[in-house]
Amino acid sequence: MSDPAIQKKPTLKRVIIALVLGTGGGWAAQMLHLPLAWMIGAMLTVTVAATAGLPVAIHPLLRQIMVAVLGVLLGSSFSPELLDHLADWSMTLTALAAYCAIGGGLSYLYFRFVAKYDPVTAYFAGMPGGLTEMILVGSSLGGDARQISLTHASRILIVIMTLPFAFQILEGYEPAARPPPGPPLLELLGSDVAILVACGIVGFLCARALRIPAAGLVGPMALSAIAHLSGWTAAKPPFELIAAAQVVVGSAIGARFAGVSLALIRRALFYSLGGTAILVAVTLVFAFTLTLVTGIRPDALVLAFSPGGLAEMSLIALALSMDAAFVATHHIIRIFLIVVMAPMAFRLLNPNLKVTEKSGL
């Protein structure tokens, strides 16, 4: 089932245009010392280009490769000392189930009765995570694939465009003062390069074979975490490759708006603002409540529970020098809960609902 709201056909011309624009936007954001510059700059530039009708797209294979790079980077955040903190996370990880149920339930009510989405579309558009999975499952049950994809893409766009700036204003974060996330390429040893590459390739293949959600990110991250926890390597991917990965991921988010009418985009953004506000409000309630109970920093909990993408929220954690392993682990559990439990809960709550598959066109 094709869905132009997800992405236009990724021809070489479209990919090159998107990458050139994304790189230019990332470079400009870097010069302006914006937070998460390469990804936000690329995302903003390509989003504007897509809505203006320019032919932009990112090939899924290229995005998959760069997401694997980010997975290896996130795995490098797992140090042996991390094992000492797992018990401290038990309460916050358990609270994710309640967060998903409350946030998803309130979002469903909003999209059903305020945005006037049909029941299936409202349910899967309101789930806090699992963009690709919610599009596939929701459309197979009769939901509007285009509305679901636009709503989730808009939510991620809004969260990524606001959270880093909010932390910069409220926390005094200075992007220019942060060290680069990885070493220069020429400083890496050949053995470290081999281990990091193996983590990316083998981790992805194993995760895909096991049908793990977000396999391109979770697999490389898990294997990289094992390698770093075991002391096989302490290396991180080079910052040049990390910047390129951010450009590709940011451009891919922006390219999701290619081929979609401005009226539909305005409607999706308008209602996504309300849906995102609901999820962010629930996030803040959980974050500050759990801070009182556990003593964990509220800013780390806000990122861990925020309704953004796993890769994107983890990158923000790295940019803010927070515990990226803590943030990534919570998002992995959230995605697992959403992907596994949301379809089951929908069928239980709607045993008599007759649905027919829609193309979303």
Side-chain angles (χ1 to χ4, degrees), residues 118 120-121 137-144 355-358:
D118 65 82
V120 183
T121 302
V137 176
S139 60
S140 70
L141 291 172
D144 188 325
V355 294
T356 55
E357 186 169 351
K358 299 178 184 178

Side-chain angles (χ1 to χ4, degrees), residues 121-209:
T121 302
Y123 182 88
F124 289 98
M127 289 298 105
L131 183 149
T132 302
E133 293 80 8
M134 292 302 98
I135 294 170
L136 295 175
V137 176
S139 60
S140 70
L141 291 172
D144 188 325
R146 174 173 282 183
Q147 281 290 8
I148 296 171
S149 62
L150 275 177
T151 301
H152 279 285
S154 299
R155 170 176 53 80
I156 293 173
L157 183 74
I158 293 167
V159 171
I160 295 172
M161 285 299 297
T162 55
L163 262 187
F165 293 100
F167 278 111
Q168 182 172 338
I169 295 170
L170 299 175
E171 297 289 329
Y173 159 62
E174 291 294 339
R178 302 289 173 178
L185 177 61
L186 297 179
E187 291 185 6
L188 282 175
L189 298 177
S191 58
D192 287 330
V193 172
I195 292 173
L196 295 179
V197 171
C199 287
I201 296 174
V202 177
F204 166 67
L205 293 176
C206 290
R208 187 176 65 173

